[in-house]
Structures are given as C-alpha cells and as structure tokens.
C-alpha cells in the first residue's frame, strides 16, 4: 500500500513539475530573444534593456497630457536597416575645427558604406589650437546620426567588448589615409587592412576623399550626411533658433563670417593693417606651433594674390559698395576679432547694428563657453538662416555653409573675389579710383557670385596607383613601429 501510494503521488506531481520547467525554459528563451533583438536595434526595447534614448527623438515626438504628466507618444520613423556582410570596424579621429571635422565625418561615413564596414562614432579633435573638450555627442545628436543612416551603414557608439579590450591593450593599427584619394584607394589599400586586423584606426581624416570624379551615389551620400544626418544637439538647436528669432524681430540680417581672428592671421601670415608689435606677436605665435609648416611669409604678396582674409576696414568698404543697407543687422560669425574695437571701428561706423551671439543672448551662452565647436555650431545655424551670407575668407566654414545654403534653395551667398577687391581697395584709397567707379566695379564683378546654380566642373581625381611611391604613411601596432605601408 505504501509503495503504491508513493507512485501515485509521484505521478500526480509529475505534470506540475513539467509545467514549472517549461515555464522557466520559456522565460529564459523569451528574454534571450528580447535582448538579442534589442542589441540589433530591431526591437525598440525599454530603456532599462538598451539604454538607447535614440528610440525616440525630442524634435520628432509629440507629447500628450496624461495624469498631469507629459509623455512622448510617437517614435522616430526610421529607414529600413541595410543588411550586409560586415568586413570589420573603422575607427576615425577627426582633426581641426568644427567644419573641418564635419567634412571629414562625411568622408568617413561614405568610406565605411562602400567598404561594407561598421563605423564607430567619430572622435573629435581635442588637441587643436582651440583645445575644445567636446565629444561628438556634445555637438551632434548622436542617436539621430546613427538611426538616420541605418539604411546605409551600421554605426556603433563603441567597439564590441572583445575588440574594445584588444584596443585598450594597445593592439590597434593606426594610420593617416592618403589625401584626396578616390574610392579605389580605399578598396585596394584600406579594406585589406581592415579584413586582416578587424579594426583599423584612421587619424587626420581631413581632405582624405577626392571631391571630383566620384560616382554620383557617393556624392549624394556625402550630402545626405552633411545636410541631414549631422543634426546638432537639441540644446544647440534650441538656442540657435532663439538667436535667429531675436535677429528676425529686428528686420533683415547679414551674416558676416569675418575670419580675422588671431590664429587665422598667425597661420596665414596676413598682417595688413597691423602694428609692428602685432606683427611680432603673430610671428611668434606661428613659430610656436610646429605643425604650421610655413614660417616665412610675405604678407603683401599673399594679400595681392587674394590669399588673405579681408580686413574689417576692407570689408566695410565692400559691404557699402555692394549696396548693403546701413539699417541691416550685421551678425559677426567669428571668434574674437584681432585688434578689438580699434579694427572694428570702420565697420561699426558704417553699420551701427553690428551684433554677435554674445550681445544677443549673453545669459544663455554660459553652458557653451570654452567650447569653441559648440559656439561655432550656433554661428553655423544663424549663417544658414541669414538673408545674406558673406564670408571674408574661403575656409572650411565658408565652404560648408555655402554648400548647405545651395542645398537649401540657393540662398544668397556672396563669394568675394578677394584678389580683385584688394586691387580695387588700394586704387580707391590712393585716389586713382572714385567711389562711384569703385562701387560699380565691385557690383559688376560679383553679379555671378551670389550662390546661384552652376554646373559642376568634374575633374578626374588622382588614383591610389598614381600616389604609390609619392606619399607615405606609418603606423603603429601595439608598441612596435611597423614599416611604411605605401
């Protein structure tokens, strides 16, 4: 009896035990699937699982009141994810100021796309002249950047753990790519290295992809990255819109990218209008930075060739000659002007409504102080929205903003012919050219330089085969110096 009863109890308990194990196994299996799906971005899992705030974007979400609280109720609509065989991982370190790095990011995204590799969110320059400690996510909306490009290339915030540990141990191949190379260089020289080492680090990434002679698909992707994917952070966007609104309330405004800062003058050697003490100060600064290769510079010859930024005095004459209304606001998109009020006197006398972001919203810029790239991002936003954009030098910001304004409907952008302008200015100042003739000459020479559509002159780039034996790079792996590759 006792034995029979034991078997009966065991039989009754058996189905319950089976159900318990099935429930446990199902739970483990379910959570495993959830975690894997979340890791591949296919399931917008709760933040406790993914820690990806990119599931929703503040500028795209709508809010609704519920129990006294505002909740986001719409997620960002994402493009379909591109599926491809991953050839490895590409890390990049950008160099220079904001817009130089911006152009480099466009190149690196495009290269990653056409090499079928995974791009790690780019590292920004913290050691340049401006010494800005900002990371990518401090300037750009990193979640939007990753999500908006998912149909082209996979972008990760950091390497997978196993590869990250290898890099932290010093096992990383690092090199600068050859400047102005076409995509064949990356296919034939860079891709084999990525396949071999799994991770490749490219440093000094400015001007590394050719501008001309590339397939249209590549050019389109660069534009998409630059004019769509590289959205500024919500904080920068919000303050930028407030700056534009403050300007709009007071009528039309011109953005003057007055590239007359100390570093620009020291680097270029352009000292026209500077005192002897200022010339000496700028020369010492140029010699203090070893990566500024050109040391002995003929300022007068360079100016006559149109290779110097216009001075504030020259700029004031040009604005007047172009017929810019005296009542217009002149927004200075630049850092501190070298020479201060003394050099700005001619411009402020001709145009009394000269303003800067520091004068428009002084109390709102505290979070951005000592972060030159974030301050430059605000100037960039205002430049895009201006009635007229006038750069006094064709540097990185001038080129990127001009391109963006063309992309946005060919907004009026005056491309100054500096070589002609300095010749006309000198003639006007020495009395050989009257003001009416000076003004007429300036206007006539710029009628076709206002940012209107023009046909691209598509020249052939130098291929990697042309560069072998002419340009060399070196790299490191671990702590050992490797032989030159190319």
């Amino acid at each position: 009896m006792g034995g029979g009863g034991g078997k009966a109890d065991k039989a009754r308990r058996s189905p319950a035990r089976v159900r318990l194990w099935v429930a446990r196994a199902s739970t483990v299996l379910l959570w495993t699937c959830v975690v894997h799906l979340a890791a591949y971005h296919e399931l917008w899992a709760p933040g406790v699982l993914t820690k990806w705030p990119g599931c929703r974007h503040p500028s795209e979400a709508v809010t609704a009141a519920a129990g006294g609280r505002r909740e986001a109720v719409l997620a960002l609509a994402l493009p379909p994810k591109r599926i491809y065989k991953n050839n490895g991982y590409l890390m990049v370190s950008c160099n220079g100021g904001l817009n130089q790095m911006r152009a480099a990011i466009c190149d690196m995204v495009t290269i990653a796309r056409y090499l079928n590799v995974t791009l790690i969110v780019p590292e920004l320059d913290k050691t340049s002249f401006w010494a800005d400690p900002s990371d990518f996510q401090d300037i750009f909306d990193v979640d939007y950047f990753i999500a908006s490009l998912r149909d082209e290339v996979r972008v990760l915030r950091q390497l997978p753990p196993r590869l990250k540990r290898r890099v932290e141990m010093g096992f990383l191949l690092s090199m600068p790519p050859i400047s102005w190379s076409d995509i064949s260089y990356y296919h034939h020289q860079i891709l084999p290295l990525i396949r071999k080492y799994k991770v490749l680090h490219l440093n000094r990434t400015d001007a590394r992809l050719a501008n001309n002679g590339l397939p249209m698909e590549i050019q389109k992707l660069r534009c998409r990255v630059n004019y769509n994917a590289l959205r500024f952070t919500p904080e920068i966007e919000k303050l930028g819109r407030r700056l534009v609104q403050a300007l709009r309330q007071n009528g039309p405004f011109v953005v003057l990218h007055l590239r007359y800062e100390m570093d620009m003058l020291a680097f270029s050697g352009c000292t026209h209008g500077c005192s002897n003490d200022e010339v000496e100060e700028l020369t010492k600064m140029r010699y203090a930075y070893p990566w500024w290769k050109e040391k002995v510079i003929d300022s007068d010859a360079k100016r006559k060739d149109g290779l110097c930024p216009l001075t504030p005095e020259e700029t004031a004459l040009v604005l007047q000659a172009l017929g810019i209304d005296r009542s217009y606001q002149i927004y200075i998109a630049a850092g501190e002007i070298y020479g201060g009020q003394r050099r700005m006197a001619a411009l402020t006398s001709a145009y009394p409504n000269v303003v800067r972001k520091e004068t428009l919203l002084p109390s709102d810029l505290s979070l951005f102080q000592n972060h030159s790239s974030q301050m430059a991002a605000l100037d960039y936003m205002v430049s895009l929205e201006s009635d007229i954009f006038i750069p006094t030098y064709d540097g990185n910001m001038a080129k990127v903003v001009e391109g963006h304004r063309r992309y946005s409907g060919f907004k009026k952008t005056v491309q100054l012919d500096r070589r002609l302008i300095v010749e006309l200015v000198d003639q006007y100042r020495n009395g050989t050219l009257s003001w009416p003739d000076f003004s007429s000459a300036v206007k006539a020479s710029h009628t076709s330089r206002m940012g209107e559509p023009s046909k691209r002159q598509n020249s052939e780039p130098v291929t990697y085969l042309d560069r072998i034996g002419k340009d060399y790079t070196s790299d490191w792996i671990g702590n050992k110096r490797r032989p030159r590759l190319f």
Side-chain angles (χ1 to χ4, degrees), residues 238-253 329 331 355-357 359-362 364 382:
K238 180 180 178 181
L239 190 54
R241 286 192 294 269
R242 288 188 59 197
L243 283 169
V244 172
Q245 184 180 15
L247 287 161
R248 285 274 177 242
Q249 289 175 347
N250 295 315
F253 69 96
Q329 300 166 94
Y331 178 94
V355 295
R356 305 175 62 100
K357 54 185 173 295
T359 59
L360 289 170
L361 299 175
D364 296 287
V382 176

Side-chain angles (χ1 to χ4, degrees), residues 93-149:
S93 293
C94 303
N95 57 295
L98 173 64
N99 294 288
Q100 185 173 333
M101 293 190 291
R102 186 185 184 110
I105 292 167
C106 297
D107 286 352
M108 294 300 110
V109 169
T110 304
I111 289 164
R113 161 63 175 83
Y114 285 93
L115 297 187
N116 284 335
V117 299
T118 297
L119 178 69
I120 306 304
V121 169
E123 179 184 30
L124 302 187
D125 193 344
K126 297 179 177 62
T127 61
S128 66
F129 170 82
W130 302 275
D132 188 339
S134 300
D135 290 317
F136 186 99
Q137 62 268 22
D138 297 321
I139 300 171
F140 300 109
D141 188 332
V142 65
D143 296 305
Y144 180 78
F145 176 76
I146 293 171
S148 67
L149 292 170

Side-chain angles (χ1 to χ4, degrees), residues 26-40 42-43 45 49:
S26 299
T27 301
V28 171
L29 180 61
L30 176 62
W31 278 100
T32 301
C33 292
V34 168
V35 170
H36 277 286
L37 287 171
Y40 286 99
E42 293 300 323
L43 175 66
L49 287 179

